[in-house]
Each structure stands twice: as structure tokens, then as C-alpha cells.
Amino acid sequence: MLLGAIADDFTGASDLANTLAKGGMATMQFSGIGQEIPACEAGVVALKTRSVPVADAVAQSVEAVKWLLDAGCEQIIFKYCSTFDSTPEGNIGPVAEALLDLLGEETAVVCPAFPGAGRRLFMGHLFVGDRLLSETGMRHHPLTPMTDPDIRRWLALQAKYPVGSVNLDTIRNGGAEAIRAALASERNEGRRLIVTDAVADADLMAIGQAVAGQRLVTGGSGIAQGLPANFRAQGKLSASTAKIPSAAGPAIVLCGSCSTASQNQVAVYAKNHPAFALDPLALMRGEITVGAMARWIDEHKDQTPIIYSTAAPEAVSDAQARFGRETVSGRIENFFARLARHLVDTGTRRVIVGGGETSGAVVEGLQLPSLQVGHEIDPGVPVLVGWRNGPVGLALKSGNFGAPDFFEKAVAEVGQP
Ligand SMILES: Nc1ncnc2c1ncn2[C@@H]1O[C@H](COP(=O)(O)OP(=O)(O)OP(=O)(O)O)[C@@H](O)[C@H]1O
Ligand SMILES: O=C(O)[C@@H](O)C(=O)CO
């Protein structure tokens, strides 16, 4: 393995794995660490550290990076959300600093930009589409409300070392060489985490070139766009990547995401497929069992049904107020995980999941330690293949990613070699 990465959630991991695979690296996604490592050039460890206490996030991240270094990785990516999901305490700053210390590096770029998904960083300010981050729904995120679009200021709250920046003028006027000089100048001023602008893929390619040989790079999946070329230039990549195995058989769509994009995607898919709305209140009362759900799915399996807990914000708040946020989330995630395991053990071979936490629960429920990464379905969402009594095809969709017809496309593409 040449390039190793840790991602702070599961859909984020497959987003990054997708970028590396598109860049021509044979890429694997790992659920946690410690498993046997199949032959690959890039490996992305999916963690669930976005919203855990700072000390846990740091400890898990350091442990995972040590594992990647033992596997031979020359460069490490710390992948976080393209909307910089974090609180004034962390976890992005403290994890990045712990990794700088571990790797013996003085600086690392900080670049959440992902222009393909509308996330652009200009003069240190993060935009989603044409709005500043703090003017989008992210302002009201239940766990990581993003109330300041100035990533330099937000990161400075979390970081113990001074924060620096490289702006777009430098990138556009001088390319990789100017970026390297600007990073060196920031380092000489004692600034260690360097917020680096990028509004287009070409900016990310230039930054990628500039950070060749640096041990740590941090950002959204966009920051990885320029990295495979560095390894290719050194003749380290194999010319051909192995095809992923096909996974033929019944498919199921499971959506636990309540994002605006997911609500629309569920509505579009439900027009042409059997759809079961999982009522959290009925689930809490024990009125819905995995067995009964599986029987309903079996009756409709020829039409690839969708099971979703996706609901409008008022319904989500109502369920949370009655039972507590953690309890409801945990019950729904646990239900999806057990359902997925039951279905896969009884013949389902393709599983499409909406939502980062939901995806983490399902992959852990299916006990899939390693996933091969195939082609892209929509920006940031690749086809994956794991192994549980044979190949299992998957797509793990981040809440806000994907076109309105994402689920239909995923059903058509997941399982294809
Ligand atoms: N109807 C509901 N009421 C209360 N909680 C719900 C409901 N439906 C889903 N949830 C919970 O909300 C959370 C949704 O998080 P998840 O990460 O899966 O989606 P997301 O936040 O849209 O995706 P991402 O993290 O990729 O942006 C899960 O913990 C899920 O169990
Ligand atoms: O970067 C993103 O937006 C996604 O990969 C993600 O992390 C969603 O949770």
C-alpha cells in the first residue's frame, strides 16, 4: 500500500476511495483495522470518529494510521466532511495535530473543497453551491452545527498550533511551485495547519502536485484528486487495475438518512417500487420485527423494494423528543443492520444504503472488513464489493450526495463488474 487514509465516517470513506480509484489506484476500503490486507495501492480506513469525544477520535485515528504505516504507506490522508463537520472543540483540529506529531511533519494542508459536489473554498470561506456554509442547512446540523463559514477561524478554535492559509491568487498565479513556497513561508512563521483555497478541480490538482512527498494531507475527497499522479510519476502504480467481482442476485434499498436530498431520492424511487416507511414509534414499541419485514420484502423482491426511516424534520424531532435522540437513532440503525444481515444470509446480494451512520451500522452488521472499490455511480458514491458467503455488492450514499434518481441508478449498477 502506497497511500493510506483514515476517514471520519463510512460514506466519507467510500467518497475518498472513489476518488482514488478514479485516479487509477487499486483501492480498498477497510472497516476498522487489523484485518488481512489484500494487494492494493491505496487503502481507506472507515472510522466513526466525526462526533465521538475528542480523545477517542484522536486515539482511534492514531491507531489506524500506525496500522497503515506498518502496511508500508508513504503518505497519509485524513479525510473529513466537505462541509467541515466539526465543533469548536474538534475533531478535525486535534486529530490533524496528533497526526502531524505522529508523522513528524511540521505542516499539512486543510482543504475540504469538493467542487464536483458544489463545495468550494475561497479566501478561507467555505461555500456550498452559491451559499456560504453557515447559510445552508448545515447551520442547524444536530451534531455539528456549522455557524461560521471561515474555516481558518473555525479551525483556530480547535487547534493548539497557529492556523495558516494559502489563497486562490497564489494557486492560480503560480501553481504547484508557488503553493510549495507559500506552505514553506507559513511553516517558517510557525503555522502548521494551512487552510488552502480551491474552487475548481484544477486547483486541487495543483495542490496535489505541491504536496507530493508530504507525509500528511487533510481534506475532503477532493484533496486526493492530484495524489495518484505523484505516485504514477515515480513509476509506482501498476498500469492496470483488477476488475471487481460481480455480485448477482436480489437487491434491497435501505435509507436511514433524513437529509433533503435523501427525502427527494426516496420519493422518486417509491413512485416505481414497493416502499415501506419504517415508523420509529412502531419500532420503539417493538411492533416491527426483522422477520416480518423480511417476509414483506420477500413478497416484493422482484420489484426491488425500499425500506426507509427517512422523515421530515418535524417527525424526526417528535421521535427524538419522545425517546431521546441517541435511543431512536440507535434503534433504527440496529434494525437496519440486523435486517441487512438477515437478508444477505437468505439470498440478497446487493445492498444500497442511504446515510453515513446508517451505512456504518449496515457494514458493521454485515461484518465486511474489506471492500473493493469499483466505478462511480454519482459524484462521491462508488460501487463496492465485500464478501459474506460470496460477493455482496454495495453502495453507501452520503446523505447529501446523489441525483434524484440515485437509488434507481444504484440498483442498476451495483453488482456489475
Ligand atoms: N425518522 C427518524 N426519526 C429519528 N431519527 C431517525 C429517523 N430516521 C433516521 N434517523 C436517524 O438519523 C440518523 C441519520 O444519520 P445518517 O448519517 O444515516 O444520515 P445523514 O446524516 O443524512 O447522512 P451523512 O452523515 O452521510 O450526511 C441515523 O442515526 C438514523 O438512525
Ligand atoms: O465529504 C463529504 O461531503 C462526504 O464524503 C461525507 O463525509 C459525508 O458524511
PDB file of all heavy atoms in Angstrom, residues 297-324:
ATOM      1  N   ILE A 297     -40.523  -8.067   2.378  1.00  0.00           N
ATOM      2  CA  ILE A 297     -39.534  -7.838   1.305  1.00  0.00           C
ATOM      3  C   ILE A 297     -39.552  -9.015   0.336  1.00  0.00           C
ATOM      4  O   ILE A 297     -39.523  -8.837  -0.891  1.00  0.00           O
ATOM      5  CB  ILE A 297     -38.124  -7.639   1.918  1.00  0.00           C
ATOM      6  CG1 ILE A 297     -38.080  -6.307   2.671  1.00  0.00           C
ATOM      7  CG2 ILE A 297     -37.031  -7.681   0.832  1.00  0.00           C
ATOM      8  CD1 ILE A 297     -36.845  -6.117   3.549  1.00  0.00           C
ATOM      9  N   ASP A 298     -39.648 -10.224   0.892  1.00  0.00           N
ATOM     10  CA  ASP A 298     -39.642 -11.415   0.034  1.00  0.00           C
ATOM     11  C   ASP A 298     -40.832 -11.403  -0.930  1.00  0.00           C
ATOM     12  O   ASP A 298     -40.701 -11.754  -2.101  1.00  0.00           O
ATOM     13  CB  ASP A 298     -39.651 -12.664   0.923  1.00  0.00           C
ATOM     14  CG  ASP A 298     -39.307 -13.899   0.125  1.00  0.00           C
ATOM     15  OD1 ASP A 298     -38.281 -13.857  -0.586  1.00  0.00           O
ATOM     16  OD2 ASP A 298     -40.084 -14.882   0.164  1.00  0.00           O
ATOM     17  N   GLU A 299     -41.987 -10.960  -0.431  1.00  0.00           N
ATOM     18  CA  GLU A 299     -43.179 -10.898  -1.296  1.00  0.00           C
ATOM     19  C   GLU A 299     -42.992  -9.920  -2.459  1.00  0.00           C
ATOM     20  O   GLU A 299     -43.649 -10.013  -3.484  1.00  0.00           O
ATOM     21  CB  GLU A 299     -44.398 -10.438  -0.477  1.00  0.00           C
ATOM     22  CG  GLU A 299     -44.989 -11.551   0.383  1.00  0.00           C
ATOM     23  CD  GLU A 299     -45.856 -10.968   1.496  1.00  0.00           C
ATOM     24  OE1 GLU A 299     -46.355  -9.824   1.350  1.00  0.00           O
ATOM     25  OE2 GLU A 299     -46.011 -11.652   2.526  1.00  0.00           O
ATOM     26  N   HIS A 300     -42.118  -8.909  -2.261  1.00  0.00           N
ATOM     27  CA  HIS A 300     -41.950  -7.863  -3.273  1.00  0.00           C
ATOM     28  C   HIS A 300     -40.582  -7.907  -3.941  1.00  0.00           C
ATOM     29  O   HIS A 300     -40.190  -6.952  -4.617  1.00  0.00           O
ATOM     30  CB  HIS A 300     -42.144  -6.485  -2.633  1.00  0.00           C
ATOM     31  CG  HIS A 300     -43.517  -6.284  -2.064  1.00  0.00           C
ATOM     32  ND1 HIS A 300     -43.844  -6.620  -0.779  1.00  0.00           N
ATOM     33  CD2 HIS A 300     -44.648  -5.802  -2.626  1.00  0.00           C
ATOM     34  CE1 HIS A 300     -45.114  -6.348  -0.565  1.00  0.00           C
ATOM     35  NE2 HIS A 300     -45.630  -5.850  -1.671  1.00  0.00           N
ATOM     36  N   LYS A 301     -39.838  -9.005  -3.723  1.00  0.00           N
ATOM     37  CA  LYS A 301     -38.415  -8.951  -4.091  1.00  0.00           C
ATOM     38  C   LYS A 301     -38.162  -8.761  -5.593  1.00  0.00           C
ATOM     39  O   LYS A 301     -37.126  -8.224  -5.979  1.00  0.00           O
ATOM     40  CB  LYS A 301     -37.645 -10.160  -3.564  1.00  0.00           C
ATOM     41  CG  LYS A 301     -37.972 -11.509  -4.168  1.00  0.00           C
ATOM     42  CD  LYS A 301     -36.945 -12.526  -3.651  1.00  0.00           C
ATOM     43  CE  LYS A 301     -37.126 -13.885  -4.271  1.00  0.00           C
ATOM     44  NZ  LYS A 301     -38.190 -14.687  -3.650  1.00  0.00           N
ATOM     45  N   ASP A 302     -39.129  -9.135  -6.414  1.00  0.00           N
ATOM     46  CA  ASP A 302     -38.911  -8.966  -7.857  1.00  0.00           C
ATOM     47  C   ASP A 302     -38.907  -7.488  -8.269  1.00  0.00           C
ATOM     48  O   ASP A 302     -38.453  -7.134  -9.353  1.00  0.00           O
ATOM     49  CB  ASP A 302     -39.998  -9.689  -8.660  1.00  0.00           C
ATOM     50  CG  ASP A 302     -39.909 -11.188  -8.432  1.00  0.00           C
ATOM     51  OD1 ASP A 302     -38.830 -11.629  -7.974  1.00  0.00           O
ATOM     52  OD2 ASP A 302     -40.902 -11.893  -8.667  1.00  0.00           O
ATOM     53  N   GLN A 303     -39.432  -6.635  -7.394  1.00  0.00           N
ATOM     54  CA  GLN A 303     -39.510  -5.204  -7.770  1.00  0.00           C
ATOM     55  C   GLN A 303     -38.520  -4.346  -6.965  1.00  0.00           C
ATOM     56  O   GLN A 303     -38.637  -3.133  -6.932  1.00  0.00           O
ATOM     57  CB  GLN A 303     -40.930  -4.689  -7.545  1.00  0.00           C
ATOM     58  CG  GLN A 303     -41.948  -5.354  -8.449  1.00  0.00           C
ATOM     59  CD  GLN A 303     -43.325  -5.209  -7.834  1.00  0.00           C
ATOM     60  OE1 GLN A 303     -43.708  -5.945  -6.925  1.00  0.00           O
ATOM     61  NE2 GLN A 303     -44.052  -4.211  -8.306  1.00  0.00           N
ATOM     62  N   THR A 304     -37.567  -4.986  -6.310  1.00  0.00           N
ATOM     63  CA  THR A 304     -36.521  -4.309  -5.524  1.00  0.00           C
ATOM     64  C   THR A 304     -37.087  -3.203  -4.628  1.00  0.00           C
ATOM     65  O   THR A 304     -37.012  -2.003  -4.938  1.00  0.00           O
ATOM     66  CB  THR A 304     -35.421  -3.729  -6.439  1.00  0.00           C
ATOM     67  OG1 THR A 304     -35.045  -4.750  -7.368  1.00  0.00           O
ATOM     68  CG2 THR A 304     -34.205  -3.328  -5.655  1.00  0.00           C
ATOM     69  N   PRO A 305     -37.640  -3.610  -3.478  1.00  0.00           N
ATOM     70  CA  PRO A 305     -38.264  -2.619  -2.588  1.00  0.00           C
ATOM     71  C   PRO A 305     -37.265  -1.714  -1.861  1.00  0.00           C
ATOM     72  O   PRO A 305     -36.068  -1.989  -1.838  1.00  0.00           O
ATOM     73  CB  PRO A 305     -39.005  -3.476  -1.566  1.00  0.00           C
ATOM     74  CG  PRO A 305     -38.449  -4.837  -1.659  1.00  0.00           C
ATOM     75  CD  PRO A 305     -37.775  -4.992  -2.987  1.00  0.00           C
ATOM     76  N   ILE A 306     -37.815  -0.667  -1.294  1.00  0.00           N
ATOM     77  CA  ILE A 306     -37.029   0.240  -0.434  1.00  0.00           C
ATOM     78  C   ILE A 306     -37.660   0.243   0.959  1.00  0.00           C
ATOM     79  O   ILE A 306     -38.881   0.270   1.094  1.00  0.00           O
ATOM     80  CB  ILE A 306     -36.994   1.678  -1.017  1.00  0.00           C
ATOM     81  CG1 ILE A 306     -36.161   2.597  -0.109  1.00  0.00           C
ATOM     82  CG2 ILE A 306     -38.374   2.270  -1.220  1.00  0.00           C
ATOM     83  CD1 ILE A 306     -35.847   3.964  -0.718  1.00  0.00           C
ATOM     84  N   ILE A 307     -36.803   0.176   1.978  1.00  0.00           N
ATOM     85  CA  ILE A 307     -37.247   0.334   3.369  1.00  0.00           C
ATOM     86  C   ILE A 307     -36.594   1.628   3.847  1.00  0.00           C
ATOM     87  O   ILE A 307     -35.373   1.773   3.739  1.00  0.00           O
ATOM     88  CB  ILE A 307     -36.745  -0.820   4.275  1.00  0.00           C
ATOM     89  CG1 ILE A 307     -36.949  -2.186   3.606  1.00  0.00           C
ATOM     90  CG2 ILE A 307     -37.410  -0.759   5.647  1.00  0.00           C
ATOM     91  CD1 ILE A 307     -38.366  -2.521   3.304  1.00  0.00           C
ATOM     92  N   TYR A 308     -37.391   2.534   4.350  1.00  0.00           N
ATOM     93  CA  TYR A 308     -36.792   3.820   4.737  1.00  0.00           C
ATOM     94  C   TYR A 308     -37.391   4.337   6.044  1.00  0.00           C
ATOM     95  O   TYR A 308     -38.564   4.122   6.333  1.00  0.00           O
ATOM     96  CB  TYR A 308     -36.984   4.850   3.626  1.00  0.00           C
ATOM     97  CG  TYR A 308     -38.433   5.196   3.331  1.00  0.00           C
ATOM     98  CD1 TYR A 308     -39.026   6.327   3.911  1.00  0.00           C
ATOM     99  CD2 TYR A 308     -39.206   4.403   2.489  1.00  0.00           C
ATOM    100  CE1 TYR A 308     -40.344   6.657   3.652  1.00  0.00           C
ATOM    101  CE2 TYR A 308     -40.532   4.719   2.232  1.00  0.00           C
ATOM    102  CZ  TYR A 308     -41.090   5.842   2.819  1.00  0.00           C
ATOM    103  OH  TYR A 308     -42.406   6.145   2.573  1.00  0.00           O
ATOM    104  N   SER A 309     -36.521   4.988   6.821  1.00  0.00           N
ATOM    105  CA  SER A 309     -36.991   5.692   8.027  1.00  0.00           C
ATOM    106  C   SER A 309     -36.971   7.193   7.760  1.00  0.00           C
ATOM    107  O   SER A 309     -37.286   7.985   8.649  1.00  0.00           O
ATOM    108  CB  SER A 309     -36.108   5.356   9.224  1.00  0.00           C
ATOM    109  OG  SER A 309     -34.802   5.837   8.983  1.00  0.00           O
ATOM    110  N   THR A 310     -36.554   7.546   6.563  1.00  0.00           N
ATOM    111  CA  THR A 310     -36.473   8.942   6.131  1.00  0.00           C
ATOM    112  C   THR A 310     -37.774   9.665   6.461  1.00  0.00           C
ATOM    113  O   THR A 310     -38.857   9.171   6.121  1.00  0.00           O
ATOM    114  CB  THR A 310     -36.247   8.964   4.598  1.00  0.00           C
ATOM    115  OG1 THR A 310     -35.187   8.068   4.319  1.00  0.00           O
ATOM    116  CG2 THR A 310     -35.942  10.355   4.096  1.00  0.00           C
ATOM    117  N   ALA A 311     -37.666  10.790   7.150  1.00  0.00           N
ATOM    118  CA  ALA A 311     -38.875  11.524   7.528  1.00  0.00           C
ATOM    119  C   ALA A 311     -38.554  13.007   7.560  1.00  0.00           C
ATOM    120  O   ALA A 311     -37.387  13.407   7.577  1.00  0.00           O
ATOM    121  CB  ALA A 311     -39.348  11.046   8.903  1.00  0.00           C
ATOM    122  N   ALA A 312     -39.606  13.801   7.585  1.00  0.00           N
ATOM    123  CA  ALA A 312     -39.444  15.263   7.628  1.00  0.00           C
ATOM    124  C   ALA A 312     -38.891  15.669   9.003  1.00  0.00           C
ATOM    125  O   ALA A 312     -39.073  14.939   9.986  1.00  0.00           O
ATOM    126  CB  ALA A 312     -40.788  15.920   7.378  1.00  0.00           C
ATOM    127  N   PRO A 313     -38.249  16.849   9.075  1.00  0.00           N
ATOM    128  CA  PRO A 313     -37.619  17.266  10.335  1.00  0.00           C
ATOM    129  C   PRO A 313     -38.572  17.236  11.536  1.00  0.00           C
ATOM    130  O   PRO A 313     -38.173  16.836  12.634  1.00  0.00           O
ATOM    131  CB  PRO A 313     -37.173  18.696  10.031  1.00  0.00           C
ATOM    132  CG  PRO A 313     -37.022  18.758   8.554  1.00  0.00           C
ATOM    133  CD  PRO A 313     -37.986  17.782   7.973  1.00  0.00           C
ATOM    134  N   GLU A 314     -39.870  17.629  11.331  1.00  0.00           N
ATOM    135  CA  GLU A 314     -40.796  17.647  12.480  1.00  0.00           C
ATOM    136  C   GLU A 314     -40.994  16.245  13.036  1.00  0.00           C
ATOM    137  O   GLU A 314     -41.036  16.047  14.263  1.00  0.00           O
ATOM    138  CB  GLU A 314     -42.183  18.199  12.090  1.00  0.00           C
ATOM    139  CG  GLU A 314     -42.190  19.501  11.292  1.00  0.00           C
ATOM    140  CD  GLU A 314     -41.864  19.279   9.820  1.00  0.00           C
ATOM    141  OE1 GLU A 314     -42.664  18.620   9.140  1.00  0.00           O
ATOM    142  OE2 GLU A 314     -40.818  19.767   9.356  1.00  0.00           O
ATOM    143  N   ALA A 315     -41.119  15.246  12.142  1.00  0.00           N
ATOM    144  CA  ALA A 315     -41.338  13.870  12.595  1.00  0.00           C
ATOM    145  C   ALA A 315     -40.095  13.353  13.316  1.00  0.00           C
ATOM    146  O   ALA A 315     -40.192  12.660  14.340  1.00  0.00           O
ATOM    147  CB  ALA A 315     -41.665  12.970  11.399  1.00  0.00           C
ATOM    148  N   VAL A 316     -38.921  13.727  12.809  1.00  0.00           N
ATOM    149  CA  VAL A 316     -37.678  13.301  13.451  1.00  0.00           C
ATOM    150  C   VAL A 316     -37.596  13.919  14.853  1.00  0.00           C
ATOM    151  O   VAL A 316     -37.324  13.231  15.835  1.00  0.00           O
ATOM    152  CB  VAL A 316     -36.450  13.709  12.594  1.00  0.00           C
ATOM    153  CG1 VAL A 316     -35.151  13.419  13.329  1.00  0.00           C
ATOM    154  CG2 VAL A 316     -36.478  12.986  11.248  1.00  0.00           C
ATOM    155  N   SER A 317     -37.889  15.235  14.940  1.00  0.00           N
ATOM    156  CA  SER A 317     -37.829  15.898  16.257  1.00  0.00           C
ATOM    157  C   SER A 317     -38.828  15.276  17.209  1.00  0.00           C
ATOM    158  O   SER A 317     -38.544  15.097  18.403  1.00  0.00           O
ATOM    159  CB  SER A 317     -38.163  17.384  16.165  1.00  0.00           C
ATOM    160  OG  SER A 317     -37.521  17.956  15.102  1.00  0.00           O
ATOM    161  N   ASP A 318     -40.014  14.925  16.700  1.00  0.00           N
ATOM    162  CA  ASP A 318     -41.043  14.342  17.561  1.00  0.00           C
ATOM    163  C   ASP A 318     -40.546  13.023  18.157  1.00  0.00           C
ATOM    164  O   ASP A 318     -40.619  12.798  19.371  1.00  0.00           O
ATOM    165  CB  ASP A 318     -42.305  14.124  16.703  1.00  0.00           C
ATOM    166  CG  ASP A 318     -43.435  13.575  17.536  1.00  0.00           C
ATOM    167  OD1 ASP A 318     -43.611  14.093  18.660  1.00  0.00           O
ATOM    168  OD2 ASP A 318     -44.103  12.621  17.092  1.00  0.00           O
ATOM    169  N   ALA A 319     -39.993  12.158  17.286  1.00  0.00           N
ATOM    170  CA  ALA A 319     -39.489  10.855  17.764  1.00  0.00           C
ATOM    171  C   ALA A 319     -38.351  11.074  18.762  1.00  0.00           C
ATOM    172  O   ALA A 319     -38.269  10.400  19.791  1.00  0.00           O
ATOM    173  CB  ALA A 319     -39.009  10.020  16.576  1.00  0.00           C
ATOM    174  N   GLN A 320     -37.488  12.055  18.468  1.00  0.00           N
ATOM    175  CA  GLN A 320     -36.356  12.305  19.358  1.00  0.00           C
ATOM    176  C   GLN A 320     -36.827  12.828  20.711  1.00  0.00           C
ATOM    177  O   GLN A 320     -36.296  12.454  21.756  1.00  0.00           O
ATOM    178  CB  GLN A 320     -35.395  13.307  18.705  1.00  0.00           C
ATOM    179  CG  GLN A 320     -34.654  12.708  17.512  1.00  0.00           C
ATOM    180  CD  GLN A 320     -33.756  13.705  16.809  1.00  0.00           C
ATOM    181  OE1 GLN A 320     -33.927  14.913  16.944  1.00  0.00           O
ATOM    182  NE2 GLN A 320     -32.809  13.196  16.038  1.00  0.00           N
ATOM    183  N   ALA A 321     -37.861  13.703  20.670  1.00  0.00           N
ATOM    184  CA  ALA A 321     -38.366  14.265  21.927  1.00  0.00           C
ATOM    185  C   ALA A 321     -38.982  13.169  22.796  1.00  0.00           C
ATOM    186  O   ALA A 321     -38.836  13.158  24.012  1.00  0.00           O
ATOM    187  CB  ALA A 321     -39.393  15.350  21.625  1.00  0.00           C
ATOM    188  N   ARG A 322     -39.642  12.213  22.157  1.00  0.00           N
ATOM    189  CA  ARG A 322     -40.302  11.160  22.943  1.00  0.00           C
ATOM    190  C   ARG A 322     -39.323  10.167  23.538  1.00  0.00           C
ATOM    191  O   ARG A 322     -39.482   9.722  24.663  1.00  0.00           O
ATOM    192  CB  ARG A 322     -41.241  10.368  22.042  1.00  0.00           C
ATOM    193  CG  ARG A 322     -42.512  11.105  21.752  1.00  0.00           C
ATOM    194  CD  ARG A 322     -43.509  10.123  21.275  1.00  0.00           C
ATOM    195  NE  ARG A 322     -44.464  10.779  20.416  1.00  0.00           N
ATOM    196  CZ  ARG A 322     -45.632  10.262  20.132  1.00  0.00           C
ATOM    197  NH1 ARG A 322     -45.977   9.107  20.626  1.00  0.00           N
ATOM    198  NH2 ARG A 322     -46.454  10.908  19.353  1.00  0.00           N
ATOM    199  N   PHE A 323     -38.313   9.785  22.757  1.00  0.00           N
ATOM    200  CA  PHE A 323     -37.460   8.676  23.207  1.00  0.00           C
ATOM    201  C   PHE A 323     -36.001   9.055  23.433  1.00  0.00           C
ATOM    202  O   PHE A 323     -35.232   8.255  23.950  1.00  0.00           O
ATOM    203  CB  PHE A 323     -37.503   7.534  22.183  1.00  0.00           C
ATOM    204  CG  PHE A 323     -38.878   6.980  21.956  1.00  0.00           C
ATOM    205  CD1 PHE A 323     -39.589   7.303  20.811  1.00  0.00           C
ATOM    206  CD2 PHE A 323     -39.472   6.165  22.907  1.00  0.00           C
ATOM    207  CE1 PHE A 323     -40.864   6.804  20.609  1.00  0.00           C
ATOM    208  CE2 PHE A 323     -40.741   5.651  22.704  1.00  0.00           C
ATOM    209  CZ  PHE A 323     -41.455   5.976  21.555  1.00  0.00           C
ATOM    210  N   GLY A 324     -35.598  10.246  23.008  1.00  0.00           N
ATOM    211  CA  GLY A 324     -34.187  10.634  23.102  1.00  0.00           C
ATOM    212  C   GLY A 324     -33.506  10.346  21.779  1.00  0.00           C
ATOM    213  O   GLY A 324     -33.734   9.295  21.172  1.00  0.00           O
TER     214      GLY A 324
END
